Amino acid sequence: MNVAQEVLRAAEGHAKLAREIARRASSFSAIVRAAAPQIAPYAYQERIIDDWRSPLIHWSKPRQVGASHTFGGKGMGKALAVPGSRAVYLSLSMEDAREKIDYAVLFHEALSERARGISKITQRSVSSIKLANGSR
């Protein structure tokens, strides 16, 4: 089964959104690897970043595996691919959630340097980002 088919199956009734996700960001990690290799995710991180099957991710993990980097990339990938989308980071601490937001901004900045047409950040605070395409 290809990525587009998997996204359509997982969306269950949201075919238009699923097609748009598949068209624009079936492999956000590959885009990052090509545009900004210095922040390219590892293979185990790619599986999470590029997994569009579920809107929720729970990751039981040890320390120092790059979870903040992974979730920051996943959130920014969807924010750029699906205008008006929302990503919410729930963490044990506000500091941990802010770190994920910082990583999302890092992904945005790295891609903005190399790719035209990236939706610009219009608002940023310590706890949120808003893009010109309406994503948050």
Side-chain angles (χ1 to χ4, degrees):
M1 180 179 294
N2 68 33
V3 173
Q5 291 170 327
E6 181 65 18
V7 170
L8 288 171
R9 183 195 64 75
E12 294 180 23
H14 301 285
K16 182 178 178 184
L17 174 61
R19 278 193 299 275
E20 190 66 15
I21 291 169
R23 185 178 74 78
R24 293 190 184 189
S26 62
S27 183
F28 181 67
S29 60
I31 295 167
V32 172
R33 193 178 320 100
Q38 72 277 15
I39 63 166
Y42 293 111
Y44 69 90
Q45 294 171 316
E46 288 179 5
R47 286 191 291 267
I48 294 170
I49 289 172
D50 295 334
D51 177 11
W52 296 95
R53 290 177 291 168
S54 173
L56 301 174
I57 297 285
H58 176 268
W59 188 6
S60 296
K61 61 169 186 62
R63 298 186 52 76
Q64 303 300 316
V65 295
S68 294
H69 181 263
T70 303
F71 289 124
K74 184 174 185 64
M76 186 52 70
K78 185 175 179 184
L80 292 171
V82 184
S85 66
R86 303 286 186 263
V88 177
Y89 300 121
L90 299 176
S91 299
L92 292 176
S93 69
M94 181 64 93
E95 180 182 335
D96 192 46
R98 287 179 184 149
E99 186 174 274
K100 290 167 180 63
I101 292 168
D102 289 343
Y103 276 110
V105 171
L106 176 72
F107 275 92
H108 185 274
E109 289 172 350
L111 292 175
S112 295
E113 289 177 11
R114 298 274 319 270
R116 288 190 238 205
I118 298 289
S119 186
K120 296 194 181 322
I121 293 176
T122 57
Q123 271 185 328
R124 178 169 184 214
S125 69
V126 294
S127 60
S128 69
I129 304 167
K130 185 174 182 180
L131 300 179
N133 70 3
S135 294
R136 299 171 73 90

